[in-house]
Amino acid sequence: MDPRRRALRAIVYGVFYRLPHPVRRRLVRAVVPKYIVGGVTLVRDSEAAAPGRLLLLRQPPGRGWGLPAGLLRRGEAPIVGAARELGEESGIHLDPHELTPAVPNAVVHAKGWVDMVFEVSVPASTTVLEVDGAEVYEAAFHPIDDLPRLTVATARLLAYYGLGPLVAPDDPTSMERPKLPQHDG
């Protein structure tokens, strides 16, 4: 991407993410009026010992870490959109067939948002992470048992998979949440 286009993207993302959340939601809904569908990828380090490491991104406004994710394009298959967003945001370019649907695959949020969640394992030591500095400031693998400050949306989503700060280790109901399986790389 040429430097002028990269600079313009940085400005557009900077302005968008400085808008209040309700305004951002209204802008997105103006384009996708019925509901919003996103593709999310949980990327584990295939080389890490249990409980493992998870790829997280720091995006504007940079107050917390999140997962590789983004809105699906009209008519785009969720697995294709998740793979596309993973490549755009982290530099990890995979064939969509390398992703596996997470369990649960669809997470429906109260305000009309649906996340289609997929997972994959890659070797962190040989995986080159590339970010554009506009949409994503930083990408890194983090120990699952010592995650950095997460965005609220990421913390809520990870709880569906028995991960993150919203799952109490001594909470007996947390055993009912599906666990994200480890995959051999």
Side-chain angles (χ1 to χ4, degrees), residues 4 9 11 23 40 55 60 69 79 82 95 105 108 117 131 137:
R4 288 178 296 185
R9 278 179 55 122
I11 291 168
V23 173
V40 180
L55 177 67
I79 198 166
D95 184 278
N105 181 227
V108 180
V117 185
V131 298
Y137 295 149

Side-chain angles (χ1 to χ4, degrees), residues 89-105:
E89 294 183 348
S90 71
I92 300 174
H93 298 281
L94 300 173
D95 184 278
H97 294 92
E98 294 180 68
L99 304 181
T100 304
V103 177
N105 181 227

Side-chain angles (χ1 to χ4, degrees), residues 129-147:
L129 300 175
E130 296 176 8
V131 298
D132 64 8
E135 184 178 2
V136 178
Y137 295 149
E138 188 177 1
F141 284 91
H142 294 273
I144 290 173
D145 57 356
D146 188 26
L147 294 173

Side-chain angles (χ1 to χ4, degrees), residues 40-44 54 67 102 117-120 157-158 161 180:
V40 180
T41 307
L42 301 171
V43 182
R44 285 188 181 262
L54 190 64
L67 296 165
V117 185
F118 300 90
E119 57 186 322
V120 68
L157 185 70
L158 287 176
Y161 303 95
L180 182 65

